[in-house]
Amino acid sequence: DMLLMSKLRPYLHLGAVMYNRALDKYPIPTQMVTSAALWCAGDLAAQRLEARVGDFAIDSSTSITEHQYKSIDWHRTAAQTFYASCVWAPLAHHWYELLDTIALRIVKTGVFTAMVARQAKSGSILGSSKGALVAIKLVIEIVALHPISLLAYFAGIGFLNGDSRNEIVSQIKRDFFPTLALEVALWTPLDVSNFQFVPVRHQLLVVNCGCFIESVGL
């Protein structure tokens, strides 16, 4: 309620200030820590919702809390956390900076701008340059980042889980295209909002929050 929010507001503001200072001074380590924390939390929450506890018998000497703790696949969580921190975060940090640079250069050439300008005249909330920038980023994100990051995820997580090369290749062949289609459908609205309203330095944080929601939701 409003009273709770008023009490939390100073702490939220302090947390935001501390986060921005850390991001200014140590950008990649800060992104690594936040990525690890959100992916770890998302995987733990997802495991609770996957009804893993129901796969085991609970005897009378074991409490539910103890059983849930023992039923968590900590190796899986560790793999997700390591991948998020040491692979995803550094690459994604540079990706969103590079994406912004590429999109700005394309906008300066005038490509897409005329098309988006017509939409702006018809009542769109996007200005021509801003709309073109968002559209270019979205196209590159869908064409480049989603398929490449998905392949890297399957390969990286498979390797960390001890899967053989044949098992990893088999999973990619089976799951790549259905997962990619789902990724594009789920992430396009978030990507548009992210590119439109969020500064580049905070876009990875928004994406990681989306990953948390995706882990729990799926």
Side-chain angles (χ1 to χ4, degrees):
D1 57 10
M2 296 299 296
L3 180 59
L4 178 61
M5 286 303 300
S6 64
K7 291 181 178 179
L8 290 177
R9 189 174 293 111
Y11 298 100
L12 295 174
H13 176 73
L14 178 61
V17 170
M18 293 176 64
Y19 172 78
N20 282 318
R21 286 178 179 173
L23 197 60
D24 288 335
K25 195 170 184 179
Y26 308 106
I28 294 180
T30 300
Q31 302 279 29
M32 292 174 69
V33 170
T34 54
S35 297
L38 286 166
W39 282 50
C40 178
D43 186 70
L44 290 174
Q47 290 195 50
R48 289 295 180 88
L49 294 176
E50 286 170 0
R52 286 176 174 267
V53 175
D55 295 336
F56 301 91
I58 303 176
D59 59 46
S60 58
S61 63
T62 305
S63 70
I64 293 177
T65 301
E66 289 173 342
H67 184 75
Q68 287 176 335
Y69 180 83
K70 292 178 182 178
S71 300
I72 293 293
D73 186 346
W74 293 106
H75 184 273
R76 165 182 147 173
T77 301
Q80 295 279 346
T81 304
F82 179 85
Y83 179 86
S85 179
C86 298
V87 180
W88 165 250
L91 295 177
H93 170 80
H94 292 298
W95 164 257
Y96 285 107
E97 291 183 343
L98 177 63
L99 179 62
D100 191 60
T101 300
I102 293 173
L104 285 171
R105 288 180 179 176
I106 295 176
V107 166
K108 289 179 180 178
T109 66
V111 178
F112 293 110
T113 305
M115 177 184 67
V116 179
R118 288 195 295 270
Q119 295 178 349
K121 290 179 181 178
S122 66
S124 171
I125 62 172
L126 301 177
S128 58
S129 296
K130 184 65 175 180
L133 188 68
V134 172
I136 293 166
K137 286 186 176 183
L138 182 62
V139 170
I140 299 175
E141 182 96 342
I142 291 173
V143 172
L145 180 67
H146 284 301
I148 293 174
S149 64
L150 193 57
L151 285 172
Y153 176 82
F154 282 139
I157 295 298
F159 174 79
L160 292 171
N161 285 331
D163 296 341
S164 67
R165 185 177 68 174
N166 289 338
E167 288 174 325
I168 294 172
V169 171
S170 177
Q171 183 185 22
I172 291 174
K173 289 180 178 179
R174 181 182 67 248
D175 297 336
F176 177 76
F177 287 107
T179 306
L180 180 61
L182 185 61
E183 285 267 314
V184 172
L186 291 176
W187 279 95
T188 296
L190 178 61
D191 284 336
V192 171
S193 300
N194 202 14
F195 296 145
Q196 174 67 20
F197 302 111
V198 180
V200 174
R201 66 199 302 264
H202 292 143
Q203 286 176 1
L204 178 55
L205 178 62
V206 172
V207 170
N208 283 328
C209 290
C211 290
F212 173 86
I213 296 171
E214 182 183 37
S215 295
V216 176
L218 294 181

